Structures are given as structure tokens and as C-alpha cells.
Amino acid sequence: MSVDQATRHKTWLRYLPVRLPYAFRSTGVRFSALFAALLAATAAVLAVFLWWSTAGLLDRQTEAAIHADALNLSERWASGGLPGLVLTIEDRLAQNVDDDAIYLLADPSMREVAGNLPQWPQGITDNGGWYELPIERAGLSTLARVERFDLPGGYHLLIGRDVRVRAQLRGLLTEALLWAGLLVAGMASVGALVVRGLFHSTITKVAATASAIAGGNFAERVPLSGRGDEFDQLSETINVMLDRIARLMDGVRQVSNSIAHDLRTPITRARTRLEDAALHAKTEPELHAAIERAIADLDDISAVFQALLRIAEIEAGSRRSAFGQLDLRKLLDGVVELYEAVAEEKSVALTLDAPELLPGYGDRELIQQAVANLVDNAVKFAPPGSAVRVVAEATPTGARITVTDQGAGIPDADRSRATERFFRGDAARNTPGSGLGLSLVQAVAQLHGGSLTLEDAHPGFAAVLALSSREEA
Amino acid sequence: MRILVVEDDKDVAGFVVRGLKEVGFVVDHADNGRDGLFLAASESYDAIILDRMLPGGIDGLRVLETIRGQKNSVPVLILSALGEVDDRVKGLKAGGDDYLTKPFAFAELLARVEALARRGKGESPVTKLVVDDLELDLLSRQVKRAGQKIDLQPREFRLLEFLMRHDGQVVTRTMLLEGVWDYHFDPQTNVIDVHVSRLRQKVDKPFPTPLIHTVRNAGYMLRAEPA
């Protein structure tokens, strides 16, 4: 981490209310904690629902039964008075198969009149109030849920149900949920560890690649898991980016090497000529001649610079703004027409074979220059009496322009290097040129989503320029 | 002819000013955008040579845009350091009439300035160009010399037209490449020379006096009297 990055990191931390404990500064740990929390929350929601749908249901059923009883008994009271009510309660108790019903009718002094509770329990004071209390019944202590009603004439009625079964169920459920909770906690921990491990291993791969590259090993790439998941997609994107960076770096390195080697020669020559003239020229014409030669040398150097800048500019892709629809046939006609005269002078037959209608998409000026460079090369290396053919055809993706000559061609060994900046084959050593022509053509081809292929034409040399006419190329 | 040179580099400016004075031009010089703008607005020039990069906050393009904003249509040649190819397009869009990248040969600059200054004189549209006994009819697209019809290819016709429109002026190879072929790069082979020599075969060879002359280290000139 550079000093700059470290500072930025600290600045960011300053905005946190509390400095996170060390473990939570790891994204992996944070993700796994989140995972565990999510799992726990899900389990809790599930438990609540389970509780509500079992214990809760029983509660609601008990309450409904008590209410129904109360309604029934109040009707009896209305029609039969106290004796009717006592009779009904006794009837009910006798018919209660489950032995869970609880009734107690008490007189104004709280003495038992009817029912199955020995005495009025303590603390039951409110009319219409719900109570849950332990009771003593038939020698057994159990749990009851009761409701109190005050009757006219100072009588009090207690209606309830024995809820021992529900209490047992609750205990059972609590125990089960406790175990389930423990299980969930265990699973969450294991899951969190797995998530963290997965996260960690993927991030580590990317981080390892990045630091290897930072350390100067530019061949390193992020390994892919082969699953094609999001991490793989990220890794692939990173790798594509690294490839692009590597290509650009190669380009820069190549250019600086080339400048060092290839521009030094003409600069040295110009300098030598000037110095020689300054020291040895005796007459004014001699001096003039030397100066003029030096100017020509310098012009060559600036032409090379211009070509280099242009290639760099094309490779940077900044000329895409000049893209538009163009008529390739017209463009080729123009180039061939321009070079026809030169070819004729060399007794070289320059011919164009292209469909009348050949639309293209791109930068007219650049394609013009690229084709001109290919034709220029071909005419330059064509032996007298031979033919240079320019053939263009439409392809499914765009257009293909082939320039073929019948010259000496390029040896196989040199062909792959022919598009390198400043590369000049042995055959080209004594011809004028900067060795940048094919580099420019290749840069133009790549800008247009196409390619430049160099082939052996048996005999001769064929350059195939493929251009894409897709707008997003 | 009056020329304004707006250029901050002392060596380049001195060289250009001296050269232009030598051929008989009246030259004013400004070494920053503000002065250049002031001179361009207050004086009347036949052409302005304007450097793109100028010190003092007002660069060449701003100067040019301001001049054009004042409805001043003086021909402007933009000078620019070797750089982005798109610069040319930007310069011409801003209202420049011609564009030349540094480093340049003085002959190239002179030829272009002369062509610009003459264009600024506002020639009325012509249908026929005549130089000495050479006639070029733009409507019937026919060329005659001493009454004798000359057959030309379409491109040869345009080449001759360009030379005749600039008769008595030096026309450089790049000017021909740009004006006749609309090419804005330097072909490595000297294709232009071959085209001119072909044209000479047809226009000059059969006749006693040549009209198309080679100007050493510069280009060509079509002219009635040999100098």
C-alpha cells in the first residue's frame, strides 16, 4: 500500500463513529457475520410462527370455549335464576369427559355455592378479567385459565379450563426451539466460516495477482475457477484489463526503444553533416549544400515523429470521433488513381477489383492513408513488368481489402515482425521509408475493429486489411 | 500586401517576418494573443499567420474565434506544433482557412500565404481560366492550348485547374495533395511529381514554351513568362 492509499484509508476510518474491532475490518468476516445474522433471524421468525400456530392456537381455543360457556350460563341464569345455574353447572361437570372444565359459583361472601373448586382463589378481583393461576384440584396441582363474571344479587361466577396440557406443550416447544436455536447457531457459524473462506480465497487470488503485477511480474493473471460465476466474470474483466495494459506498455517500450535506436541514426547524421560543414566547408556553396542536406535530414526526423504520433493517437482510439459512413469504392478509386502514375512509370500494372457498391464505416482519412501505405509498399517493392492488384470485397462484418504484389515478399521469419514500429526487412534497407507504414496500417485496422494479415502470395506479398463496418466496432 | 504574424517563438517569428519582408510584404508582428487580437481588429490585413499556442491566456483558437465573431473574414493560416491530427479539424472549424504544422519549410508557408491572400481578394466566380494561350473551360470541361484541344483525365483536369487558379504562385506538393486529392498526409513516394510530369507531357511538351515550372525546394508554378 502506498503512502497515499494508506492516508486515504485512514481518512475513511475517521468517519466511523467507533473504530471497528480488528476482526470486523475484514470484509470476509463482515459478510459471514451478516450471513449468520440472517440465518438466525430466519430461524427466530420460524420459531415465532410455530409458537403462534400451536400454543397460541390452543390459548385462543380455550378462550373461545370459556366465552361460549359464559354465554350459555348467563342464559340459564336469566331463565332459571340461581337454582337453574347451579343445576346447569353440576350438569356440565358431570358431562365433562375430558375433566378439564372449571366452574365456581360463590355467594356474596365468597363461599362456594356450586362448582369443582374448593374455595375462591386469591387475587381474582375484576369482573370480566382473565387470570391464569395454579390451582389444587383432586389432590393434583395444575394450571388453570379462568374468567370472572359478577352476577346480579352479589353472586360471583368463575369459568375456566385446565390448561395443563398446553403448559406441557409449551415446555416441549421451548425445549425443541432451544435445541433448534443451538443447531442454527452452529450452522450459522459453519456457514459463516465457509462464506468467509470462499470470499477470502477469491479475493486472495485477485490480490496476489495485483501485488505480483505491482511487483513487476506482468505475466501474472487472475486464475479462474471455471465455474463462470460472478467472481470468474470479475477475474476475466481484470485479466482483459491487464492484457490491454500489457499491450500498451509493450507499445510504449517498443516506441522508446525504437526512438532510441532508430532516430539516433538520422540525428547523428544531421549533426555530423553540420559539424563537418562548420569545420571543413571552404566555399559558400559547399556550406549551403551541407545545410540543405541537414535540413532534409531534420525533415525526415520530423516526418518520423509525425508518423509515430499519429500511430500513437490512432492506438489511443482518440480518432473515433471522426468516424462516419463512407464509400470505400470511391476511396479505393482515389488511392489507385493517385499511385497509378507512379506504377506506370515503373512499368507496374496497378489494378483495382472492387464492387461498385462497397460501403464502409470509419475514419475516411485514416483508411485512405492505410490503403495508400499498402499500395505505396506494393508499388515500391514490385519488380518492373509485374502487377500490383488491389482487390476489395464485402464480408459479413465489413470489408476486406487485399493488396498483392509480385515482389520478393517478406521472409516468414520477418513477417510477424513486419508491423513492428521501425522494422525494416533486409530487402527494404535500401529503399526510402521509415519502417512505420505497416505499423500505421495495423493501428488503423485495430481502431476499426479489423485486422491486418500479411501473407505469402507465391511469389510476392499480400497484405489483407479487414475492416469492420459495425458502428460499435 | 500586409500580413500579421502572431507567434510567440522569437526564432520562428523572426524567421517568418524576415522571409516575408524579403519577398516584399509589409509585416506586423505580435507575440501574444492580446496584441494579436488588437492588431487584427484595428488594422486591415491581407492575411494573418496565427500560432495556436500563445502565452497570456488567449490562445490562437480564441483569437481566431474572436476575429470571426467580429465578422472579419481576413484569411487566416494557423500554425501549430507537430501534434494531434485532429488539431487541423479543430482549427478549420474555428474559422481557419489553412493549416500548417511545425516544423515547416518557409517555401511552404509562403506559398500558402500567397494563395490565401489572393483568395481573400474575392475573385468573382469564373467559368473559364486563361493563362497565356492555355484555356480551361470549367463548364464544358475542355482544355485548349493555342486553339488545339487537349484530352485530360478527370484528375489531370483538376490538377491543371488548381495550377491555373494559382497562376503566378508557387504551389507546393502538399497543397496539390490537399487541394486536388483531398489527402492530408504525406505519401512516402513522390506521387505528385509523377502526376505533374504526366500533365506536362500533355500541356507543355507539344508546345514551344513551357507553362508549368518547377520551383526548386518548393513545388510548381504555372506562369506565362519563364522567370
Side-chain angles (χ1 to χ4, degrees):
Chain A
M1 204 190 288
S2 74
V3 179
D4 184 26
Q5 278 172 316
T7 327
R8 219 180 303 136
H9 192 57
K10 268 183 201 144
T11 324
W12 174 77
L13 276 179
R14 218 185 297 145
Y15 292 111
L16 284 178
V18 191
R19 208 180 144 87
L20 287 169
Y22 173 76
F24 280 93
R25 268 180 282 152
S26 147
T27 311
V29 171
R30 280 206 301 279
F31 265 107
S32 51
L34 191 71
F35 169 80
L38 218 63
L39 199 63
T42 313
V45 168
L46 202 68
V48 167
F49 177 74
L50 206 64
W51 186 269
W52 182 81
S53 62
T54 52
L57 184 71
L58 284 177
D59 269 347
R60 285 189 298 282
Q61 276 177 350
T62 308
E63 274 170 31
I66 291 171
H67 269 297
D69 254 3
L71 203 70
N72 213 294
L73 292 179
S74 86
E75 274 167 19
R76 282 302 153 106
W77 170 270
S79 61
L82 185 64
L85 184 61
V86 171
L87 204 69
T88 312
I89 288 172
E90 272 162 9
D91 234 27
R92 288 276 166 91
L93 283 170
Q95 283 170 15
N96 184 228
V97 194
D98 294 339
D99 191 28
D100 62 348
I102 290 163
Y103 298 97
L104 181 62
L105 183 64
D107 63 9
S109 53
M110 290 298 178
R111 270 195 302 272
E112 186 208 349
V113 179
N116 56 354
L117 281 188
Q119 75 231 10
W120 192 265
Q122 297 262 307
I124 294 183
T125 49
D126 289 349
N127 178 31
W130 282 101
Y131 300 91
E132 197 161 305
L133 67 163
I135 49 165
E136 209 50 50
R137 200 160 64 91
L140 283 168
S141 78
T142 173
L143 197 70
R145 187 168 173 81
V146 297
E147 191 175 10
R148 167 184 164 150
F149 301 92
D150 288 341
L151 304 176
Y155 285 91
H156 309 285
L157 178 62
L158 209 58
I159 305 173
R161 287 291 183 274
D162 188 327
V163 289
R164 191 182 58 234
V165 180
R166 200 208 61 187
Q168 279 166 1
L169 178 73
R170 189 184 288 180
L172 213 66
L173 259 178
T174 311
E175 201 180 335
L177 286 178
L178 202 72
W179 279 113
L182 275 174
L183 207 67
V184 164
M187 297 270 285
S189 308
V190 171
L193 280 176
V194 169
V195 167
R196 183 177 165 273
L198 213 69
F199 203 82
H200 188 72
S201 70
T202 313
I203 296 299
T204 308
K205 276 190 268 177
V206 176
T209 309
S211 46
I213 282 164
N217 180 8
F218 237 97
E220 197 73 24
R221 290 294 178 268
V222 184
L224 301 181
S225 68
R227 287 188 294 267
D229 55 10
E230 291 85 346
F231 281 123
D232 263 11
Q233 284 168 21
L234 175 69
S235 306
E236 249 169 80
T237 312
I238 291 174
N239 286 346
V240 168
M241 179 189 78
L242 290 175
D243 288 346
R244 171 90 177 131
I245 292 175
R247 267 205 308 282
L248 290 175
M249 297 239 327
D250 272 352
V252 170
R253 199 173 305 131
Q254 213 186 78
V255 169
S256 34
N257 287 347
S258 304
I259 287 174
H261 290 118
D262 293 76
L263 281 179
R264 195 179 286 168
T265 320
I267 290 172
T268 310
R269 202 163 52 216
R271 197 194 174 284
T272 314
R273 275 187 186 152
L274 285 172
E275 193 174 8
D276 184 44
L279 293 174
H280 304 116
K282 301 271 188 299
T283 63
E284 207 169 301
E286 262 181 58
L287 209 55
H288 268 292
I291 290 173
E292 267 172 30
R293 274 204 307 275
I295 289 175
D297 284 340
L298 289 173
D299 281 347
D300 286 348
I301 295 168
S302 35
V304 168
F305 264 116
Q306 183 137 30
L308 277 175
L309 283 171
R310 204 171 166 100
I311 292 170
E313 194 189 5
I314 295 165
E315 282 180 347
S318 62
R319 291 237 0 153
R320 290 198 58 101
S321 55
F323 272 37
Q325 298 293 337
L326 45 91
D327 181 348
L328 280 178
R329 168 71 199 217
K330 203 171 139 200
L331 187 152
L332 291 170
D333 276 339
V335 175
V336 168
E337 199 269 346
L338 181 66
Y339 281 92
E340 229 167 23
V342 186
E344 203 171 287
E345 196 150 89
K346 275 191 75 178
S347 319
V348 169
L350 177 61
T351 56
L352 171 66
D353 178 8
E356 279 303 318
L357 201 68
L358 189 60
Y361 180 79
D363 185 324
R364 191 184 66 89
E365 221 172 272
L366 290 183
I367 296 178
Q368 206 176 38
Q369 188 171 2
V371 177
N373 279 3
L374 292 179
V375 174
D376 194 288
N377 264 342
V379 171
K380 199 152 60 184
F381 296 115
S386 69
V388 169
R389 285 184 301 126
V390 180
V391 180
E393 58 210 324
T395 61
T397 53
R400 185 168 51 225
I401 301 162
T402 312
V403 180
T404 318
D405 66 48
Q406 297 170 333
I410 302 181
D412 286 348
D414 285 352
R415 204 173 300 138
S416 60
R417 297 188 52 211
T419 55
E420 281 177 18
R421 288 179 182 80
F422 294 111
F423 177 81
R424 308 201 65 201
D426 290 331
R429 289 262 180 255
N430 300 316
T431 56
S434 58
L436 291 169
L438 287 180
S439 308
L440 185 127
V441 180
Q442 187 170 44
V444 170
Q446 275 166 4
L447 181 73
H448 288 82
S451 62
L452 170 68
T453 331
L454 307 177
E455 290 167 4
D456 199 339
H458 305 287
F461 173 68
V464 185
L465 174 64
L467 298 171
S468 168
S469 54
R470 291 213 193 100
E471 306 216 351
E472 74 279 12
Chain B
M1 272 206 275
R2 269 192 95 177
I3 310 286
L4 172 63
V5 177
V6 189
E7 162 67 75
D8 63 308
D9 187 301
K10 277 201 184 66
D11 291 330
V12 176
F15 167 62
V16 170
V17 169
R18 212 174 322 121
L20 290 174
K21 279 181 176 162
E22 266 170 26
V23 293
F25 289 172
V26 179
V27 188
D28 286 340
H29 171 229
D31 63 3
N32 64 71
R34 199 172 301 276
D35 293 354
L37 202 51
F38 175 75
L39 282 172
S42 55
E43 306 283 322
S44 167
Y45 294 101
D46 294 297
I48 297 177
I49 298 170
L50 182 62
D51 188 27
R52 264 202 67 166
M53 306 276 278
L54 290 169
I58 303 181
D59 75 347
L61 283 191
R62 280 280 297 284
V63 172
L64 181 54
E65 278 160 2
T66 314
I67 291 174
R68 292 294 181 243
Q70 292 164 347
K71 302 265 180 277
N72 187 342
S73 61
V74 56
V76 173
L77 177 115
I78 302 168
L79 282 185
S80 157
L82 195 73
E84 288 202 3
V85 190
D86 275 349
D87 272 5
R88 186 174 57 81
V89 181
K90 275 185 214 146
L92 298 184
K93 263 193 192 143
D97 299 277
D98 203 353
Y99 194 92
L100 192 57
T101 43
K102 294 179 190 172
F104 54 85
F106 181 74
E108 183 78 42
L109 176 75
L110 181 63
R112 284 170 186 263
V113 169
E114 279 189 324
L116 277 186
R118 185 201 267 197
R119 190 160 82 198
K121 292 262 187 289
E123 287 175 354
S124 54
V126 289
T127 56
K128 198 171 192 178
L129 300 168
V130 181
V131 177
D132 202 27
D133 55 353
L134 178 65
E135 286 174 40
L136 182 141
D137 192 322
L138 288 164
L139 293 180
S140 65
R141 306 199 71 80
Q142 278 193 356
V143 179
K144 278 184 196 165
R145 184 158 183 199
Q148 200 177 319
K149 194 166 171 284
I150 299 171
D151 276 324
L152 292 182
Q153 302 285 326
R155 195 69 71 164
E156 289 167 344
F157 183 88
R158 289 190 51 196
L159 180 58
L160 184 63
E161 180 193 335
F162 193 90
L163 288 168
M164 287 180 82
R165 280 187 189 276
H166 295 90
D167 75 307
Q169 292 173 19
V170 175
V171 173
T172 64
R173 292 175 179 85
T174 28
M175 281 167 81
L176 287 174
L177 209 54
E178 287 174 15
V180 180
W181 278 271
D182 195 20
Y183 275 33
H184 298 277
F185 56 90
D186 183 21
Q188 293 163 19
T189 313
N190 238 338
V191 283
I192 295 300
D193 291 343
V194 185
H195 280 280
V196 172
S197 99
R198 279 176 138 199
L199 186 65
R200 272 179 168 154
Q201 293 288 322
K202 294 182 175 175
V203 175
D204 279 347
K205 193 99 180 285
F207 303 95
T209 49
L211 290 173
I212 302 169
H213 306 273
T214 304
V215 182
R216 195 168 163 267
N217 284 341
Y220 299 98
M221 187 193 283
L222 190 136
R223 169 182 66 196
E225 299 287 316

